Structures are given as C-alpha cells and as structure tokens.
Amino acid sequence: SIACITPNTRHAVAGKIAAGKTTLIEGFGHYQGTAFSHREENGNIIYASAESPLIWYEIPGIGIGADQIGRVETALAELTAHEIAAFIYCLGSARIEPMEEQLLSYIRDNYPALRLLVALTQSADDEQALYAEQLSGLLGGIQVIPVLAMDKKIQVGTIAAYGLDDMERCLFG
C-alpha cells in the first residue's frame, strides 16, 4: 500500500487586540470541518489538528507604539524559519493606522515570497466590497478580503459567516 503524506502548510495571523484573529482561525477550522487545539510557543499561539495539514501561528494582539510593531516584525522573522506560506493581517474595520500600513509595506518589501493578505474582519456592512477595494488601493495592491468568520447575531436576526471561501482560494490557489 502507498501512504500519501501531505506537508504542513503554515500561516501567521496578526492584528490589533480584538481584531478577530482567533475568530478567523477558529472560523476557518469550522469551515473546513476541523477542530484545532492550541498551545503557546515563543510568545505565539499555535493552532493545529491531527486531521489537517494546516498550522496557524497567532501573533498576540498589537497595541499602540513602534515597539509593538517591532515585536511583530521580530515574530515574523522567527516564523519564516518555520516556512510560513502566508501572513494574514486582521483589521476590525476599514480604518487602518499609519503604523499598520508601514508594517504591511515592510512585510511586502522584505518577504516577497510570502503571500500577504488583509482580512477585513467583523464587517457586516453592505459597502464591504468597496471598502476592501479602496483599502487594497491604499496598500499598494495587497489583497484585502472581507470576511465574517462566524455567524453574527444582530437585533433583527443573524448575519451568516462569509468570505472564508474567498480566503481559502487566496491562500491555496
């Protein structure tokens, strides 16, 4: 008999505190029918599952200040040694801080082989596609994907999760 072994695919996720990093990872697991367990290693949270070749590295939430951005740059440098395939930056709204723009430009310029995406999380607005397009233009063409990783309850009902299929296409081709 022949055993097929799929190599692990690693992705790093970062963003401000409460930007939707954990929800994105867990929502992607639900979307793929996988339950991830997690552990902390070197200041990052690693999500993995025995039934999936996908490994997620969550870089803890970014606060305000250059030292926080430097921490993400350092974590990314360490994670590239683990051969991460993609870096996903979570934004809780279409508003982006200048330091976040600088971080994304730094990653684009210094890691050209790394797939770089921005996940516009928590967006339940009808204008989300327009926001994503404008933000992508502002960021020099970095792919911006509106995504609601888990269903969201609102006063008049529930907004169903969306965008994970788009994210999957961008991550895996």
Side-chain angles (χ1 to χ4, degrees), residues 60-136:
I62 299 170
I64 307 259
D67 60 322
Q68 297 290 311
I69 298 296
R71 186 172 53 82
V72 173
E73 291 173 356
T74 300
L76 183 58
E78 292 170 3
L79 290 174
T80 56
H82 292 289
E83 299 179 354
I84 60 170
F87 182 88
I88 301 149
Y89 190 81
C90 293
L91 276 176
S93 71
R95 207 173 132 255
I96 187 166
E97 303 285 334
M99 291 184 81
E100 292 172 299
E101 287 181 50
Q102 291 170 2
L103 173 65
L104 292 167
S105 293
Y106 170 85
I107 294 167
R108 181 188 60 222
D109 296 344
N110 290 283
Y111 299 95
L114 189 62
R115 185 166 291 160
L116 178 58
L117 303 172
V118 173
L120 185 56
T121 61
Q122 305 171 27
S123 176
D125 192 312
D126 291 337
E127 303 291 323
Q128 63 198 346
L130 177 62
Y131 295 151
E133 185 179 324
Q134 290 172 342
L135 196 52
S136 180

Side-chain angles (χ1 to χ4, degrees), residues 13-27 47 56 58-62 88-90 121-122:
V13 179
K16 284 184 168 180
I17 296 166
K21 299 174 297 296
T22 302
T23 302
L24 178 67
I25 294 167
E26 291 175 353
Y47 293 80
W56 296 90
E58 180 182 340
I59 300 170
I62 299 170
I88 301 149
Y89 190 81
C90 293
T121 61
Q122 305 171 27

